[in-house]
């Protein structure tokens, strides 16, 4: 568009990095209010989108499969997830979020005060624009979710 200022991609990437650091600091603090680690909270958030096999969770969360097993074991002990056989492959166990796990994800999101305050600073049109821009920018990642 004529008259639209050009923004350097490197500056945008830096702003995204700053945004993500702030978001994950807020997320980590909010997860701690539920006595969860950031990794446990992220796992619950991923499972909010639907059941997933352990290997898929490990890949999605960029962690080793053995580490994922430990995370799921601890979440299962707390009643936040359970394992069930995959309907398509009996050798695979899917991890499923329980109602208590859903409550924990809701509580984490509700306790992300810095993020919520930042989003509250935007009006409805700006939030819709941000949503559209992020969706377009990360289309492949949002399609996998």
């Amino acid at each position: 568009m004529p008259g639209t200022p050009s923004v350097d991609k490197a500056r945008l990437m830096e702003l995204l990095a700053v945004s993500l650091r702030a978001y994950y600091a807020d997320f980590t603090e909010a997860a701690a209010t539920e006595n969860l680690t950031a990794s446990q909270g992220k796992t619950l958030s991923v499972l909010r989108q639907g059941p997933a096999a352990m290997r898929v969770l490990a890949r999605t969360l960029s962690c080793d499969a053995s580490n994922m097993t430990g995370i799921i074991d601890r979440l299962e002990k707390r009643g936040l997830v359970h394992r069930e056989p995959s309907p398509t492959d009996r050798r695979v166990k899917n991890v499923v979020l329980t109602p208590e796990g859903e409550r924990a994800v809701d509580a984490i999101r509700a306790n992300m005060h810095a993020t919520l305050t930042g989003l509250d600073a935007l009006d409805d049109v700006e939030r819709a624009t941000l949503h559209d821009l992020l969706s377009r920018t990360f289309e492949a990642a949002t399609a996998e979710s």
Side-chain angles (χ1 to χ4, degrees):
M1 274 186 239
T4 302
S6 176
V7 178
D8 180 43
K9 287 182 191 175
R11 290 193 65 203
L12 281 175
M13 290 176 72
E14 184 58 33
L15 184 56
L16 279 171
V18 169
S19 301
L20 288 171
R21 280 193 299 271
Y23 176 87
Y24 281 114
D26 197 23
F27 183 91
T28 299
E29 189 175 312
T33 66
E34 292 298 305
N35 296 314
L36 295 167
T37 65
S39 294
Q40 290 169 332
K42 287 182 207 176
T43 301
L44 295 177
S45 294
V46 169
L47 289 171
R48 186 66 176 273
Q49 299 164 14
M54 295 282 283
R55 65 179 156 61
V56 172
L57 285 172
R59 185 176 62 242
T60 301
L61 296 166
S62 301
C63 72
D64 186 75
S66 62
N67 188 35
M68 192 79 257
T69 299
I71 291 168
I72 296 303
D73 286 348
R74 289 185 286 285
L75 292 172
E76 193 169 38
K77 275 185 184 173
R78 291 190 48 189
L80 302 175
V81 300
H82 71 271
R83 292 175 172 105
E84 63 183 32
S86 167
T88 57
D89 185 343
R90 61 189 173 112
R91 299 168 296 171
V92 174
K93 295 278 190 192
N94 283 335
V95 181
V96 180
L97 195 63
T98 66
E100 184 62 19
E102 288 183 32
R103 188 215 54 80
V105 173
D106 290 342
I108 290 168
R109 290 178 182 171
N111 283 311
M112 293 182 67
H113 303 297
T115 302
L116 292 170
T117 299
L119 293 174
D120 285 343
L122 304 175
D123 64 31
D124 289 342
V125 172
E126 291 169 325
R127 279 194 296 272
T129 299
L130 178 61
H131 179 273
D132 291 344
L133 291 170
L134 290 172
S135 294
R136 276 190 8 226
T137 303
F138 301 104
E139 191 172 356
T142 56
E144 291 174 6
S145 323

